[in-house]
Amino acid sequence: MDQDSVEQAKKTAAILAVKETVKNNMVIGVGSGSTIIYAVRELASLVSKNGWQIVCIPTSYQAKGLIFDHKLPLGSLDQYPVLDVAIDGADEITSELSVIKGGGGCLVQEKIVGINAKNLIIIADWRKVSTHLGKNWTQGVPVEIIPEAQLPLILKFEKMGGKAALRQGISKIGPLVTDNGNFILDVDFGKINNPEKLSSQIKSLTGVIDSGLFINMVKKAYIGQKDGRVEIITKE
Amino acid sequence: MDQDSVEQAKKTAAILAVKETVKNNMVIGVGSGSTIIYAVRELASLVSKNGWQIVCIPTSYQAKGLIFDHKLPLGSLDQYPVLDVAIDGADEITSELSVIKGGGGCLVQEKIVGINAKNLIIIADWRKVSTHLGKNWTQGVPVEIIPEAQLPLILKFEKMGGKAALRQGISKIGPLVTDNGNFILDVDFGKINNPEKLSSQIKSLTGVIDSGLFINMVKKAYIGQKDGRVEIITKE
Amino acid sequence: MDQDSVEQAKKTAAILAVKETVKNNMVIGVGSGSTIIYAVRELASLVSKNGWQIVCIPTSYQAKGLIFDHKLPLGSLDQYPVLDVAIDGADEITSELSVIKGGGGCLVQEKIVGINAKNLIIIADWRKVSTHLGKNWTQGVPVEIIPEAQLPLILKFEKMGGKAALRQGISKIGPLVTDNGNFILDVDFGKINNPEKLSSQIKSLTGVIDSGLFINMVKKAYIGQKDGRVEIITKE
Amino acid sequence: MDQDSVEQAKKTAAILAVKETVKNNMVIGVGSGSTIIYAVRELASLVSKNGWQIVCIPTSYQAKGLIFDHKLPLGSLDQYPVLDVAIDGADEITSELSVIKGGGGCLVQEKIVGINAKNLIIIADWRKVSTHLGKNWTQGVPVEIIPEAQLPLILKFEKMGGKAALRQGISKIGPLVTDNGNFILDVDFGKINNPEKLSSQIKSLTGVIDSGLFINMVKKAYIGQKDGRVEIITKE
């Protein structure tokens, strides 16, 4: 039943977000994760109902699969370097719209798509909302890295006060490999007081491709509540 | 307790295999998986006890990590294209020494190392032994493929009587990515009557890199038994 | 002037091939190379003139770029596992429609697309036609390989009578890296008497992904002549 | 003859740098490029003459090949996250020891190795010395990027005053692919007045892995002169 209300919250948030932010002729970034599935379904229904012409830019193999399954038109940043909107999930989000992403391992493509969208919209259920990043999401900030830099970066993060663990593959032996062929370090910094500064510090490190800290990027979040409502957070 | 006897069987088989097949000055292929850990420990102990000069060639990121952890000398096929021996695990093995590998997702590197070894030795516990490939190991033959060939190959395997499933990432969303940046199809052919023919057919397909069928490659297997003995199977 | 007649021959062959083989509503594989540029232009002109609905499946980053530049609809084998036609160039072609491809380094994707097309059509100029593979094209059969298998495969090809050279990067130091992240060996077997047998032998090697030998795959070739005519070779 | 004096200058600088900076038991980063070849030869001669125990960490496939060819012991950052010294070439260098690297396409691995060395030493001939970065080296700052971010980044660099060109493969059709499977943009910013600021700006961009600007990293440079002398530049 609790799982039901979570799924219901994801769904309601996704549907409202799509309804309010997507219009005909838009180029749309499609995020990754379990909440996005509801958004893609709603997109597909709008397109077939209204005969809309849209283009979908995926953020992962999973997103590409969703786009194909719903027979939506696939596009690429090589054709559409500026997106009208991108809709994505989150692992943790604050009322200032600071976000941790990357639990699903696709943070680099998600950030590339998100940063090139005029509007980056987050959809999530109430459990993802937190007063500080690192409070609810305790498995660490996901950081995509060049494999050979693994050990030097683990030592560097230690000096920065973070405890880094190389994410394992589970369905393969050894480390997880990302869609880009890289590794992911999950770096636990505890409760993060200054996410903007931390995000810059991490990105500046040689061997780091990007982190799952999405700061000053999100314009609006649709948060599905336990009671069925959707709370909308906007950047004032 | 049963788990204990399994671990004991792996360990006993690994130790005996290393003792009987590894000598000073050898170039040794190091397989992947949980049984290999015991083999690497025994290798490290022999090296430190006897002051041996050996070189270890890894078959995966995991194997490389094991080699480093035990301070064994790392080598590469670029320097040592012919190995004296390679020791590896198995997901299923018959009395004819036909083997299925790839549950851990490193089958291509394991095959490259194994085929370039004068002796490929398998270590496993009794549960891996089967009268026919595909009987005990029911999750299908692992096949590493170029990602874009995924759907055409699924259709081709269907025509060959195999049911192919794209292996998922679990610790990432979407498909598992191999150490080589590719995908894995697990193709269920049921009980395999002619593994040599099937192996050739799969390898011949465009988009396939290699399969986990190791046929006519293994010279000897050390099988740890429930009762503590090690059964040795050799190719007559 | 000679260069002019070569370009004219490529262009005439490409235009005729597109006119004769492409129809409305087709899913079309787009090859790589310098001749393909003329085919894509003709495709774009047909689509805009006739309002055709087609989908284009690229065989390389270059092909993808061409599809985007001409605003043709991009597709993927994940959606369209069976293509109506694929049009591609060749480095050498015989009257039996045996072909060497891979001078441009995209042979694996070209083969995946070509083998999944109902018709694989080659377009080329007269200089590519030869009585035996390996006669005109003397830089060797391109073979895409897993990087770590490089030296064992060079030794294996030697035993098979081939002289293998690792293709260098030129605009980068060290070996060329393919679009799939692999290496290419150019293996000189001299004049090839039995291309079908050689193709199977190469593909069967562990560490090989595929070779540039396209045997029993091509249905028709359009060969632009020096005098402006186009010779059509078909498989009887 | 001029080419002779260039090669002589590279060689003399390389030999002196190795003599002055390498000692027994060191872990040494081995750069990429044409000047490095002389350094590796000198290393090999010191090792064989003195029976030194050293470990070499490569920065590219090319460096790995050099290490193997000279039978030097290969190591990895996974074992040796801190190097005693790294020796590398440069495409352009100023008297402040600001450097452009990446003409050979291996800038990311070179930076990972260089930044984890206690001393990063540059060896070069006199033609590489310049008063400002971007003055002699006019083909642009090499920047390794995630392939899908190509067009958004070209547009971003334009806004920053840079003209970005996607580096082509030459020995393959389409873009150059790096040893990490990525693309390289060569971004022409003209004469660079504030390389430190530019370096940070570029690194901070989503989709960028790293740039060839090496600022505040180099401790010492050995510059072979036309007249046979070696000029040493140190950071005061």
Side-chain angles (χ1 to χ4, degrees):
Chain A
M1 198 178 74
D2 198 36
Q3 192 51 36
D4 278 5
S5 62
V6 168
E7 286 308 310
Q8 194 54 45
K10 290 177 178 184
K11 191 176 167 179
T12 324
I15 291 177
L16 188 62
V18 171
K19 277 211 175 106
E20 288 198 2
T21 59
V22 177
K23 293 192 178 55
N24 192 10
N25 294 314
M26 277 191 167
V27 179
I28 302 157
V30 175
S32 310
S34 59
T35 311
I36 289 304
I37 300 171
Y38 298 111
V40 174
R41 274 192 211 152
E42 180 64 18
L43 260 181
S45 137
L46 282 175
V47 163
S48 79
K49 209 186 305 174
N50 305 321
W52 279 4
Q53 301 282 327
I54 61 166
V55 174
C56 294
I57 315 284
T59 59
S60 62
Y61 284 127
Q62 182 229 8
K64 209 173 156 187
L66 285 173
I67 292 167
F68 290 158
D69 290 348
H70 292 81
K71 302 193 185 307
L72 291 165
L74 177 75
S76 147
L77 286 169
D78 291 333
Q79 310 160 277
Y80 304 98
V82 182
L83 286 69
D84 295 296
V85 68
I87 300 177
D88 210 335
D91 295 311
E92 191 175 23
I93 183 165
T94 70
S95 56
E96 286 83 36
L97 297 178
S98 291
V99 172
I100 292 183
K101 290 174 60 52
C106 304
L107 59 107
V108 168
Q109 304 101 293
E110 288 167 351
K111 210 173 214 176
I112 290 172
V113 165
I115 216 158
N116 291 300
K118 291 178 198 160
N119 279 295
L120 173 56
I121 307 294
I122 293 291
I123 52 181
D125 64 82
W126 76 93
R127 303 167 310 161
K128 308 298 177 66
V129 180
S130 170
T131 54
H132 286 80
L133 294 185
K135 202 184 149 206
N136 288 8
W137 179 258
T138 55
Q139 72 175 59
V141 176
V143 182
E144 184 161 336
I145 63 161
I146 297 286
E148 66 182 305
Q150 169 197 346
L151 187 49
L153 282 173
I154 287 174
L155 299 176
K156 234 151 233 166
F157 283 128
E158 231 163 64
K159 284 185 195 161
M160 288 168 62
K163 207 177 147 30
L166 185 65
R167 194 181 295 180
Q168 294 301 303
I170 304 184
S171 60
K172 72 177 274 291
I173 205 142
L176 171 89
V177 176
T178 69
D179 291 359
N180 299 314
N182 298 311
F183 287 174
I184 286 184
L185 292 178
D186 290 302
V187 194
D188 182 3
F189 291 99
K191 220 179 65 178
I192 298 167
N193 289 314
N194 192 336
E196 185 170 359
K197 193 179 155 198
L198 183 63
S199 169
S200 298
Q201 280 179 322
I202 296 174
K203 179 67 172 99
S204 74
L205 297 174
T206 291
V208 164
I209 297 160
D210 222 318
S211 84
L213 289 169
F214 283 52
I215 314 300
N216 297 328
M217 281 181 63
V218 177
K219 295 283 168 53
K220 212 173 191 174
Y222 290 79
I223 312 294
Q225 303 298 313
K226 211 171 180 169
D227 60 10
R229 287 177 311 109
V230 176
E231 193 190 335
I232 300 176
I233 314 177
T234 38
K235 203 105 180 189
E236 57 279 0
Chain B
M1 199 177 71
D2 197 38
Q3 192 52 33
D4 278 6
S5 61
V6 168
E7 286 308 309
Q8 196 53 46
K10 289 177 179 183
K11 190 178 169 178
T12 324
I15 292 176
L16 187 63
V18 170
K19 276 209 176 108
E20 288 198 2
T21 60
V22 177
K23 294 192 178 53
N24 193 9
N25 296 313
M26 274 190 168
V27 178
I28 301 156
V30 175
S32 311
S34 59
T35 311
I36 289 304
I37 299 171
Y38 298 110
V40 174
R41 275 192 211 154
E42 180 65 17
L43 260 181
S45 139
L46 282 175
V47 163
S48 80
K49 209 185 306 173
N50 305 320
W52 280 3
Q53 302 281 328
I54 61 164
V55 174
C56 293
I57 315 284
T59 58
S60 62
Y61 283 127
Q62 182 230 9
K64 211 174 157 186
L66 285 173
I67 292 168
F68 290 158
D69 291 348
H70 292 80
K71 302 194 186 304
L72 292 166
L74 178 74
S76 146
L77 286 169
D78 292 333
Q79 309 160 277
Y80 304 99
V82 181
L83 287 72
D84 294 297
V85 68
I87 300 177
D88 210 335
D91 295 310
E92 190 174 26
I93 183 165
T94 69
S95 56
E96 285 84 36
L97 297 177
S98 291
V99 173
I100 291 182
K101 290 174 63 47
C106 304
L107 59 109
V108 167
Q109 304 102 293
E110 289 167 350
K111 210 173 213 176
I112 291 171
V113 165
I115 216 157
N116 290 300
K118 292 177 196 159
N119 279 295
L120 172 57
I121 307 294
I122 293 291
I123 53 181
D125 65 81
W126 77 91
R127 303 167 309 163
K128 307 300 176 65
V129 180
S130 171
T131 53
H132 286 81
L133 294 185
K135 202 184 148 204
N136 287 7
W137 179 259
T138 55
Q139 74 175 59
V141 176
V143 182
E144 184 161 335
I145 63 160
I146 297 286
E148 66 183 303
Q150 168 197 346
L151 187 49
L153 283 172
I154 288 175
L155 299 177
K156 236 155 231 167
F157 283 128
E158 228 162 65
K159 283 186 195 163
M160 288 168 61
K163 207 177 147 30
L166 185 65
R167 196 182 293 181
Q168 294 300 303
I170 302 185
S171 61
K172 72 177 274 291
I173 204 141
L176 171 89
V177 176
T178 69
D179 291 359
N180 299 314
N182 299 311
F183 287 174
I184 287 185
L185 291 178
D186 290 301
V187 193
D188 183 2
F189 291 99
K191 220 178 66 179
I192 298 168
N193 289 313
N194 191 337
E196 185 171 0
K197 193 181 155 197
L198 184 62
S199 169
S200 299
Q201 280 180 322
I202 296 175
K203 178 69 171 99
S204 74
L205 296 174
T206 290
V208 164
I209 298 159
D210 223 318
S211 85
L213 289 169
F214 284 52
I215 313 299
N216 298 327
M217 283 181 61
V218 178
K219 295 283 169 52
K220 214 172 189 174
Y222 290 79
I223 310 295
Q225 303 298 311
K226 210 169 181 170
D227 60 11
R229 288 175 311 109
V230 176
E231 193 190 334
I232 302 177
I233 314 177
T234 38
K235 203 104 181 190
E236 57 280 358
Chain C
M1 200 177 72
D2 197 35
Q3 193 51 35
D4 277 6
S5 62
V6 168
E7 286 309 308
Q8 195 53 45
K10 289 177 178 184
K11 189 176 169 179
T12 323
I15 291 176
L16 188 62
V18 170
K19 277 210 176 108
E20 289 197 1
T21 59
V22 177
K23 295 192 177 52
N24 192 8
N25 295 312
M26 275 190 168
V27 179
I28 302 157
V30 174
S32 310
S34 58
T35 312
I36 289 303
I37 300 170
Y38 299 111
V40 174
R41 274 191 211 154
E42 180 64 16
L43 261 181
S45 136
L46 283 175
V47 163
S48 80
K49 210 184 307 174
N50 305 321
W52 279 4
Q53 301 282 327
I54 62 166
V55 175
C56 294
I57 315 285
T59 58
S60 63
Y61 284 127
Q62 181 229 8
K64 211 173 154 186
L66 285 173
I67 292 167
F68 289 159
D69 291 348
H70 292 80
K71 301 193 187 307
L72 291 165
L74 177 73
S76 145
L77 286 169
D78 292 334
Q79 310 160 276
Y80 305 98
V82 181
L83 287 69
D84 295 296
V85 67
I87 300 177
D88 210 335
D91 294 312
E92 190 175 24
I93 183 166
T94 69
S95 56
E96 286 83 36
L97 296 178
S98 290
V99 172
I100 291 183
K101 290 174 60 51
C106 304
L107 59 108
V108 168
Q109 305 101 292
E110 289 166 352
K111 210 173 213 175
I112 290 172
V113 165
I115 216 157
N116 291 300
K118 291 177 197 161
N119 278 295
L120 173 56
I121 307 294
I122 293 291
I123 52 181
D125 64 81
W126 75 92
R127 301 166 312 161
K128 308 298 177 66
V129 181
S130 170
T131 53
H132 287 82
L133 294 185
K135 201 183 149 203
N136 286 8
W137 179 258
T138 55
Q139 74 174 59
V141 176
V143 182
E144 184 161 337
I145 63 161
I146 297 287
E148 68 182 303
Q150 168 198 346
L151 187 50
L153 283 173
I154 288 175
L155 299 177
K156 234 152 234 167
F157 283 128
E158 229 163 65
K159 283 185 196 162
M160 287 168 60
K163 209 178 147 27
L166 185 64
R167 195 183 293 181
Q168 295 300 304
I170 303 185
S171 60
K172 74 177 273 290
I173 204 141
L176 171 90
V177 176
T178 69
D179 290 358
N180 300 314
N182 298 311
F183 287 174
I184 287 185
L185 291 178
D186 290 301
V187 193
D188 182 2
F189 290 100
K191 218 178 66 180
I192 298 167
N193 289 313
N194 192 336
E196 185 171 359
K197 193 179 155 197
L198 184 63
S199 169
S200 298
Q201 280 180 322
I202 296 175
K203 179 68 171 99
S204 75
L205 297 174
T206 291
V208 164
I209 297 159
D210 222 318
S211 84
L213 289 169
F214 283 51
I215 314 299
N216 297 327
M217 283 180 62
V218 178
K219 294 284 170 50
K220 213 174 190 174
Y222 291 78
I223 311 295
Q225 303 299 312
K226 210 171 182 171
D227 60 10
R229 287 175 311 108
V230 176
E231 191 189 337
I232 301 177
I233 314 178
T234 38
K235 204 102 178 189
E236 57 279 359
Chain D
M1 198 177 73
D2 196 36
Q3 190 52 34
D4 276 6
S5 61
V6 168
E7 286 307 309
Q8 196 53 46
K10 290 177 178 184
K11 189 178 170 179
T12 324
I15 291 176
L16 188 63
V18 170
K19 277 210 175 105
E20 288 197 2
T21 59
V22 177
K23 294 192 178 53
N24 193 9
N25 295 314
M26 275 190 167
V27 179
I28 301 156
V30 175
S32 311
S34 58
T35 312
I36 290 303
I37 299 170
Y38 298 111
V40 174
R41 275 190 210 154
E42 180 63 16
L43 260 182
S45 136
L46 283 174
V47 163
S48 81
K49 210 185 304 170
N50 305 321
W52 279 3
Q53 301 281 329
I54 61 165
V55 174
C56 294
I57 315 283
T59 58
S60 62
Y61 283 127
Q62 183 229 7
K64 210 173 157 188
L66 286 172
I67 292 167
F68 289 158
D69 290 347
H70 292 81
K71 301 192 186 307
L72 292 165
L74 177 74
S76 146
L77 287 169
D78 292 332
Q79 309 160 278
Y80 305 99
V82 182
L83 286 69
D84 296 296
V85 67
I87 300 178
D88 210 335
D91 294 313
E92 190 174 25
I93 183 165
T94 70
S95 56
E96 287 84 36
L97 296 177
S98 290
V99 173
I100 291 183
K101 289 174 62 50
C106 304
L107 59 108
V108 168
Q109 304 102 292
E110 288 167 352
K111 210 172 213 176
I112 290 171
V113 165
I115 216 157
N116 290 300
K118 291 177 198 162
N119 279 294
L120 173 56
I121 307 294
I122 292 290
I123 52 181
D125 64 82
W126 75 91
R127 301 166 311 161
K128 307 298 176 67
V129 180
S130 169
T131 54
H132 286 81
L133 294 185
K135 200 183 150 206
N136 287 8
W137 180 258
T138 54
Q139 73 175 60
V141 176
V143 182
E144 184 161 336
I145 64 160
I146 297 286
E148 66 183 303
Q150 166 197 348
L151 187 50
L153 283 172
I154 288 175
L155 299 177
K156 234 152 233 167
F157 283 128
E158 229 162 65
K159 283 184 194 164
M160 289 168 60
K163 206 177 148 30
L166 185 65
R167 195 182 293 181
Q168 294 300 303
I170 304 185
S171 59
K172 71 178 272 293
I173 204 141
L176 171 88
V177 176
T178 70
D179 290 359
N180 299 314
N182 298 312
F183 288 174
I184 287 185
L185 291 178
D186 291 301
V187 194
D188 182 3
F189 290 100
K191 219 178 64 176
I192 298 167
N193 289 315
N194 192 336
E196 186 170 359
K197 193 179 155 198
L198 184 63
S199 170
S200 299
Q201 280 179 322
I202 296 175
K203 179 68 171 98
S204 74
L205 297 174
T206 290
V208 164
I209 296 159
D210 222 319
S211 85
L213 289 169
F214 284 51
I215 314 300
N216 298 327
M217 283 181 61
V218 178
K219 294 285 168 51
K220 213 175 192 172
Y222 290 79
I223 311 293
Q225 303 298 312
K226 209 170 181 170
D227 60 11
R229 287 176 311 108
V230 175
E231 191 189 336
I232 300 177
I233 314 177
T234 38
K235 203 105 181 188
E236 56 280 1

